[in-house]
C-alpha cells in the first residue's frame, strides 16, 4: 500500500505520555525516581540571580574612587535594605555628612576602587518546575529535572497562547459547531478548563479571565480577536509566555471552524476530569504544538515521549484521517482515497506530489501533500 510521511496532530484516547520537566539553570531536584506526583507538585527548584544595580558612591560622597572602601559601612556579601545607609563621610565636627543609600533590597556584591561604584544585586528570583500532570517520576537528572510518566488522553491543537495550567474539564458548548459566548461563562467555572465548539470570541475570553477560568479549548479564533487580546500582531514565533491570565488551545484553525467531531466527543467523554493544557506553539523548525493531557487510571498502551513526538511525522496512507491546513479547504477533515506516485503540475507550475481526499461532506478533491497533516486516531 502506498504511504508517505506528513506532519501530524495526535488525537489519542489513551497512551503513555512522558513529559520532561527541566530547570532553566542548575538547581535542586525535590523528588526521587518512582515517586507518585500530582500536577501541582513542585519537582525541582532553583534561584535565578537577581538584577544588578550600580551605585556611584564616590560621586555621592564627593571622594576619590580609590578611597570609598574606608567610607563603606557594610562589607561585600552583606545584605542591605532599601534606603539603608551603606556609606558615609565623617563630615565636619560630626556635621554636614554625605551619605549613600541603597536603592534596593539585596546584597553588596562588589566595591570598585577604580570606578567608585558599588555593585548591588537584587534578591534571587525563585524558579519552580511543577510536575504538570499527575503521574510517576520515571527518571531524575541531578540539578536539572525529572521525567514524569502518565497514561491518559492526549490531544494536540493547531495553535495556542499562554503557558501551562491545570483544571477540571467542563464542556460548555452543546455541539462541536457551537460558538463559545460570554453568556455561557459563569462564576462557577472558576479554576476550570472550558471546552467550546467552533469559535471563541474576545468577549468570552475576557469574561473567562474575570471569572478566573484557567483555560479554554475551542475549534477556532478570529485573528482580529487574537490581536485585540494580545495587544499586538503575533508574528512567526513561539508562543506560550504570554501573561494574559488564561491559556487558549485552538484545535482547528483561524475563523469559525467547527471542532473535529472526534476531538469534541473525546473531550466530552472526559468531562469533569483533571486536565493539563499548554498553549505553547512554534510552527517553524522544531515544531511545538499546544496540547491537552488528561490522565487516566489504566496503563495498557505503548509509550510516546516528547522527543519522539517532536521528531516524528504521521504516516500518510490510503484511509488516513487528515486535516487540510491551507485554503480553500482550510480546517476541513477528510480521508485519503488515493496517493499518486507521479509528480503533478500545479497552477504555479511547480511539480509536486499530491493526494486525493474525500471530505466529510462527500466531496472529492486533489491537493498537494504539503497542504495536509495527519490526525492520529
Amino acid at each position: 500500500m502506498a504511504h508517505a510521511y506528513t506532519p501530524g496532530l495526535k488525537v489519542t484516547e489513551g497512551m503513555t505520555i512522558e513529559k520532561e520537566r527541566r530547570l532553566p539553570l542548575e538547581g535542586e531536584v525535590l523528588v526521587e525516581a518512582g515517586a507518585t506526583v500530582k500536577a501541582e507538585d513542585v519537582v525541582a527548584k532553583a534561584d535565578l540571580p537577581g538584577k544588578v544595580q550600580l551605585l556611584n558612591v564616590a560621586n555621592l560622597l564627593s571622594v576619590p574612587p580609590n578611597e570609598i572602601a574606608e567610607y563603606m559601612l557594610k562589607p561585600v556579601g552583606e545584605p542591605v535594605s532599601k534606603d539603608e545607609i551603606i556609606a558615609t563621610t565623617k563630615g565636619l565636627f560630626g556635621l554636614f555628612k554625605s551619605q549613600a543609600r541603597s536603592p534596593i533590597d539585596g546584597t553588596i556584591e562588589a566595591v570598585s576602587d577604580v570606578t567608585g561604584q558599588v555593585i548591588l544585586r537584587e534578591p534571587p528570583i525563585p524558579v519552580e518546575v511543577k510536575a504538570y500532570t499527575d503521574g510517576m517520576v520515571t527518571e531524575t537528572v541531578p540539578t536539572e529535572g525529572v521525567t514524569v510518566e502518565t497514561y491518559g488522553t492526549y490531544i494536540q491543537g493547531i495553535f495556542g497562547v499562554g503557558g501551562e495550567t491545570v483544571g477540571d474539564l467542563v464542556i460548555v458548548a452543546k455541539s462541536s459547531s457551537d460558538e463559545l459566548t460570554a453568556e455561557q461563562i459563569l462564576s462557577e467555572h472558576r479554576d476550570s478548563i472550558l471546552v467550546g465548539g467552533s469559535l471563541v470570541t474576545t468577549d468570552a475570553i475576557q469574561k473567562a479571565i474575570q471569572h478566573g477560568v484557567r483555560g479554554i479549548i475551542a475549534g477556532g479564533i478570529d485573528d482580529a480577536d487574537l490581536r485585540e487580546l494580545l495587544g499586538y500582531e503575533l508574528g512567526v514565533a513561539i508562543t506560550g509566555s504570554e501573561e494574559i491570565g488564561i491559556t487558549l488551545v485552538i484545535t482547528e484553525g483561524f475563523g469559525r471552524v467547527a471542532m473535529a467531531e472526534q476531538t469534541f466527543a473525546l473531550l466530552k467523554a472526559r468531562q469533569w476530569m483533571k486536565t493539563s493544557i499548554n498553549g505553547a506553539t512554534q510552527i517553524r523548525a522544531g515544531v511545538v504544538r499546544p496540547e491537552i493531557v488528561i490522565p487516566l487510571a489504566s496503563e495498557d498502551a505503548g509509550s510516546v515521549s516528547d522527543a519522539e513526538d517532536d521528531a516524528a511525522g504521521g504516516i500518510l496512507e490510503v484511509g488516513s484521517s487528515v486535516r487540510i491546513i491551507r485554503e480553500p479547504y482550510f480546517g476541513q477533515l477528510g480521508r485519503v482515497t488515493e496517493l499518486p506516485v507521479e509528480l503533478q503540475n500545479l497552477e504555479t507550475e511547480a511539480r509536486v506530489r499530491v493526494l486525493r481526499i474525500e471530505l466529510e461532506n462527500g466531496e472529492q478533491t486533489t491537493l498537494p501533500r504539503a497542504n495536509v497533516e495527519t490526525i492520529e486516531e
Side-chain angles (χ1 to χ4, degrees), residues 288-356:
V288 175
R289 296 288 193 183
E291 64 180 12
I292 305 162
V293 179
I294 309 173
L296 302 174
S298 64
E299 298 183 7
D300 55 3
S303 173
V304 176
S305 68
D306 285 351
E308 291 169 339
D309 279 351
D310 293 340
I315 297 178
L316 190 65
E317 57 189 7
V318 173
S320 294
S321 296
V322 295
R323 176 187 287 110
I324 302 171
I325 58 175
R326 288 181 176 84
E327 294 294 353
Y329 299 101
F330 180 80
Q332 293 195 41
L333 304 179
R335 287 193 178 274
V336 178
T337 58
E338 188 178 349
L339 287 168
V341 176
E342 301 79 11
L343 298 178
Q344 296 193 21
N345 291 323
L346 300 180
E347 293 180 2
T348 60
E349 299 185 1
R351 289 176 57 80
V352 299
R353 294 194 186 280
V354 299
L355 77 172
R356 190 155 183 82

Side-chain angles (χ1 to χ4, degrees), residues 28-329:
E28 179 185 3
V29 175
L30 304 178
V31 294
E32 298 180 352
T36 299
V37 293
K38 297 293 185 183
E40 303 85 356
D41 291 346
V42 177
V43 295
K45 66 177 183 178
D47 287 327
L48 190 66
K51 295 180 181 178
V52 166
Q53 290 204 26
L54 301 178
L55 184 66
N56 197 323
V57 173
N59 278 358
L60 292 172
L61 301 185
S62 299
V63 298
N66 60 354
E67 295 181 7
I68 67 167
E70 62 184 270
Y71 298 106
M72 293 295 298
L73 300 180
K74 288 204 166 186
V76 172
E78 191 79 6
V80 295
S81 302
K82 185 177 181 180
D83 295 328
E84 181 180 354
I85 299 171
I86 61 172
T88 184
T89 59
K90 296 178 182 178
L92 183 63
F93 303 115
L95 303 173
F96 311 109
K97 293 180 180 181
S98 296
Q99 298 175 334
R101 297 176 181 270
S102 171
I104 61 168
D105 292 328
T107 57
I108 299 175
E109 188 157 288
V111 177
S112 174
D113 58 6
V114 176
T115 64
Q117 297 193 95
V118 172
I119 301 174
L120 301 168
R121 187 176 291 277
E122 295 179 0
I125 303 168
V127 177
E128 295 181 339
V129 173
K130 296 183 179 180
Y132 174 59
T133 182
D134 293 359
M136 184 178 70
V137 177
T138 57
E139 181 184 1
T140 62
V141 180
T143 74
E144 292 185 20
V146 305
T147 298
V148 177
E149 180 181 291
T150 189
Y151 178 80
T153 296
Y154 185 75
I155 299 171
Q156 289 180 315
I158 199 166
F159 177 79
V161 292
E164 299 172 352
T165 191
V166 180
D168 291 339
L169 194 69
V170 179
I171 310 300
V172 177
K174 294 182 179 178
S175 73
S176 62
S177 59
D178 283 353
E179 178 180 329
L180 177 57
T181 64
E183 291 73 21
Q184 293 173 296
I185 298 172
L186 310 174
S187 57
E188 63 196 52
H189 291 147
R190 175 174 294 275
D191 296 330
S192 299
I193 294 173
L194 306 184
V195 178
S198 62
L199 182 73
V200 58
T201 63
T202 301
D203 290 343
I205 296 171
Q206 293 295 354
K207 188 172 181 183
I209 293 171
Q210 293 170 10
H211 284 310
V213 173
R214 295 189 177 181
I216 291 177
I217 303 167
I221 186 172
D222 191 90
D223 58 347
D225 286 345
L226 180 63
R227 185 166 57 250
E228 181 181 346
L229 176 67
L230 297 177
Y232 57 87
E233 188 79 45
L234 189 65
V236 181
I238 189 167
T239 70
S241 59
E242 299 81 11
E243 296 183 0
I244 57 175
I246 199 168
T247 296
L248 302 180
V249 174
I250 304 302
T251 63
E252 313 305 323
F254 289 96
R256 187 184 297 274
V257 187
M259 184 181 294
E261 285 293 344
Q262 176 191 357
T263 304
F264 187 79
L266 187 52
L267 291 172
K268 193 172 183 180
R270 301 289 183 261
Q271 182 164 210
W272 309 118
M273 297 185 68
K274 187 176 182 180
T275 301
S276 303
I277 65 173
N278 186 0
T281 308
Q282 181 171 303
I283 55 177
R284 301 183 68 178
V287 173
V288 175
R289 296 288 193 183
E291 64 180 12
I292 305 162
V293 179
I294 309 173
L296 302 174
S298 64
E299 298 183 7
D300 55 3
S303 173
V304 176
S305 68
D306 285 351
E308 291 169 339
D309 279 351
D310 293 340
I315 297 178
L316 190 65
E317 57 189 7
V318 173
S320 294
S321 296
V322 295
R323 176 187 287 110
I324 302 171
I325 58 175
R326 288 181 176 84
E327 294 294 353
Y329 299 101

